[in-house]
Amino acid sequence: MSVASDQLVRTDQPISTWFGIGGSADNLAAPEDEPQLLELLERFAGEPVRILGDGANLLVDDDGIDGLTISLERFDAIQEQESEDGRVSLRVGAGASLPKLITRCVRNGLAGIETLAGIPASVGGAVRMNAGGAFGQIADVITSVDTIDSGGRRETIPRAGIPFAYRRSGLEDRIIVGAELELRRVDPGQQPALREKLKDVMAYKKGSQPLADNSAGCCFKNPTIDGQRVSAGMLIDRAGAKGLSVGGATVSDVHANFISTSKSCTAGDVIELMRRVTRIVQDADGVTLEPEVVIWSRHTEEAP
């Protein structure tokens, strides 16, 4: 048995998500480097392989998941290179924490990524879904992304070759192992303003979202209606679904696009509540909401 198979793969392991509920992984591994990752991919070739980020927009079905779940938490290295014109290139591993990266950058006077404050994600997960909000998206600072395909082939894809769009990267069929970001160094006199910008973004998040709850952020993508991006939360609220509950899952009273969970909640409660919310909005406005939360299931990927 190989080193990866013998020492890295653990069976029947719980998966930590921001919902705080859900099933376990039949097999879970956290490789230390790319050779170990490639070894794991070779061993589990032909079986489902899922990449676990920070679990911030993830729901795992109560029955758990098969195949192999890979955590890239050890892929967290950060390398910095500065040019003479003040541009700073950061090569960041996929497992690095996005919130911690933002704090580090602002502390060191690096601007450009503070607009993503309050988004709970690993860097790899943020790139995969093009994480963003009212103030920007991670695609705004990406210069390239390091990826591996299912066959183990590595490719660094430049920004121009990545079809970033709203909450998607076009890299969903590849494993993201790292990314290069381009930021800018601000003068010492501008650093207080940069720190204030970070505080303003966080204050906006705290005032408009139930950050203290067990929740995975926005459950649904904001749909496009008549060429305009419309708030899914507004549609859910207007349709009368704010406060709706199924078991231990409840549509938040703070932000209708958030579902909060209690200790008694199951993944099935959340899935059923998302289905009901989808039907209510469909009946009220004729709009079909698309999930933003990713749902992992043993047999097929669940859909609300």
Side-chain angles (χ1 to χ4, degrees), residues 158-193:
R159 171 65 180 85
I162 304 172
F164 281 117
Y166 173 75
R167 299 300 174 269
R168 69 179 304 272
S169 63
L171 301 174
E172 289 77 14
D173 61 342
R174 305 183 69 87
I175 298 173
I176 296 170
V177 294
E180 183 178 46
L181 317 180
E182 184 176 288
L183 307 179
R184 68 183 186 280
R185 178 83 62 189
V186 301
D187 296 330
Q190 297 175 304
Q191 290 187 18

Side-chain angles (χ1 to χ4, degrees), residues 3 18 23 28 36 40 52 66 77 80 105 110 118 129 133 145 151 163 171 188 218 224 233 238 241 257 278 295 304:
V3 172
W18 283 60
L28 176 67
Q36 287 187 349
L40 288 165
L52 176 65
D66 52 353
E80 179 178 321
C105 288
L110 298 179
M129 67 170 294
V145 177
L171 301 174
C218 290
T224 299
R238 190 170 69 185
N257 200 13
T278 301
I295 302 174

Side-chain angles (χ1 to χ4, degrees), residues 17-239:
T17 73
W18 283 60
F19 273 126
I21 57 175
S24 299
D26 285 359
N27 302 283
L28 176 67
E32 295 181 359
D33 49 32
E34 288 188 24
Q36 287 187 349
L37 172 60
L38 295 177
E39 188 178 349
L40 288 165
L41 293 176
E42 182 177 2
R43 176 191 166 185
F44 284 87
E47 297 187 48
V49 174
R50 301 172 176 88
I51 305 301
L52 176 65
D54 198 46
N57 74 323
L58 175 65
L59 178 66
V60 181
D61 194 20
D62 296 305
D63 290 337
I65 50 174
D66 52 353
L68 176 66
T69 299
I70 298 176
S71 168
L72 296 181
E73 60 187 15
R74 297 181 179 179
F75 286 56
D76 59 354
I78 301 174
Q79 297 177 324
E80 179 178 321
Q81 184 174 356
E82 186 166 358
S83 59
E84 293 182 356
D85 60 3
R87 289 182 296 175
V88 177
S89 171
L90 290 184
R91 298 204 68 87
V92 186
S97 163
L98 180 62
K100 290 181 180 179
L101 176 66
I102 293 169
T103 299
R104 166 183 168 149
C105 288
V106 171
R107 186 191 308 122
N108 294 337
L110 298 179
I113 200 173
E114 69 282 352
T115 58
L116 303 180
I119 296 177
S122 65
V123 168
V127 172
R128 186 181 188 277
M129 67 170 294
N130 190 18
F135 303 98
Q137 57 189 9
I138 198 166
D140 298 336
V141 295
I142 292 290
T143 55
S144 66
V145 177
D146 300 321
T147 70
I148 293 176
D149 67 16
S150 59
R153 291 176 291 273
R154 195 183 198 281
E155 181 181 7
T156 296
I157 305 175
R159 171 65 180 85
I162 304 172
F164 281 117
Y166 173 75
R167 299 300 174 269
R168 69 179 304 272
S169 63
L171 301 174
E172 289 77 14
D173 61 342
R174 305 183 69 87
I175 298 173
I176 296 170
V177 294
E180 183 178 46
L181 317 180
E182 184 176 288
L183 307 179
R184 68 183 186 280
R185 178 83 62 189
V186 301
D187 296 330
Q190 297 175 304
Q191 290 187 18
L194 179 60
R195 291 192 292 269
E196 283 301 312
K197 176 64 175 178
L198 176 62
K199 291 179 181 178
D200 289 345
V201 175
M202 285 303 303
Y204 171 82
K205 293 277 187 180
K206 291 178 181 178
S208 61
Q209 299 176 4
L211 298 185
D213 291 358
N214 286 334
S215 175
C218 290
C219 274
F220 299 98
K221 298 178 181 180
N222 293 329
T224 299
I225 303 175
D226 296 329
Q228 299 292 323
R229 189 72 65 181
V230 176
S231 166
M234 180 272 292
L235 294 175
I236 296 167
D237 191 356
R238 190 170 69 185

Side-chain angles (χ1 to χ4, degrees), residues 220 270-280 302-304:
F220 299 98
V270 177
I271 293 169
E272 177 57 27
L273 182 55
M274 291 179 67
R275 286 175 176 152
R276 292 189 190 182
V277 168
T278 301
R279 288 196 297 267
I280 289 170
E302 288 279 355

